[in-house]
Amino acid sequence: MKWIDVCEAFPDQWVLIEAVQAHTDEKSERILDDIAPLKKFSNSPDAMKAYQKIHQDEPTRELYVLHTSRRDPNIIEKKWVGVRR
């Protein structure tokens, strides 16, 4: 499913989505080629709680919480530099 399809299916909602297929372009933008909507929410705190629960159990899944008012997902990867304790 494409982002535009999710926006049309769940207008003006927070959605928890999983990237089924994605890649990163030269500008460090994550391009979601195929996504699966997992659940819709009326507010972001509930969406983030659902995200955290799934991410805690399965940290390798690529999940995002986005509002469908966004024209594009516009997900920019950030490089973390630092020391882990």
Side-chain angles (χ1 to χ4, degrees):
M1 183 177 257
K2 299 291 185 190
W3 174 246
I4 188 72
D5 300 325
V6 174
C7 293
E8 289 175 5
F10 308 104
D12 205 29
Q13 301 267 333
W14 289 95
V15 289
L16 174 60
I17 60 171
E18 180 171 12
V20 176
Q21 186 172 5
H23 67 278
T24 303
D25 70 7
E26 67 282 348
K27 297 177 186 172
S28 297
E29 182 176 358
R30 197 73 178 140
I31 306 299
L32 305 177
D33 300 313
D34 187 19
I35 58 176
L38 303 180
K39 197 168 183 182
K40 65 178 181 173
F41 302 89
S42 59
N43 61 67
S44 62
D46 288 345
M48 288 305 298
K49 285 179 188 172
Y51 166 87
Q52 289 170 339
K53 181 170 181 2
I54 294 173
H55 183 70
Q56 187 174 25
D57 295 340
E58 300 176 69
T60 58
R61 291 174 73 177
E62 186 173 348
L63 305 169
Y64 299 98
V65 172
L66 299 171
H67 196 272
T68 55
S69 64
R70 287 180 168 209
R71 177 181 237 167
D72 298 308
N74 193 24
I75 300 165
I76 305 298
E77 287 187 333
K78 293 185 177 181
K79 307 285 186 222
W80 294 98
V81 178
V83 177
R84 293 184 115 182
R85 295 180 184 197

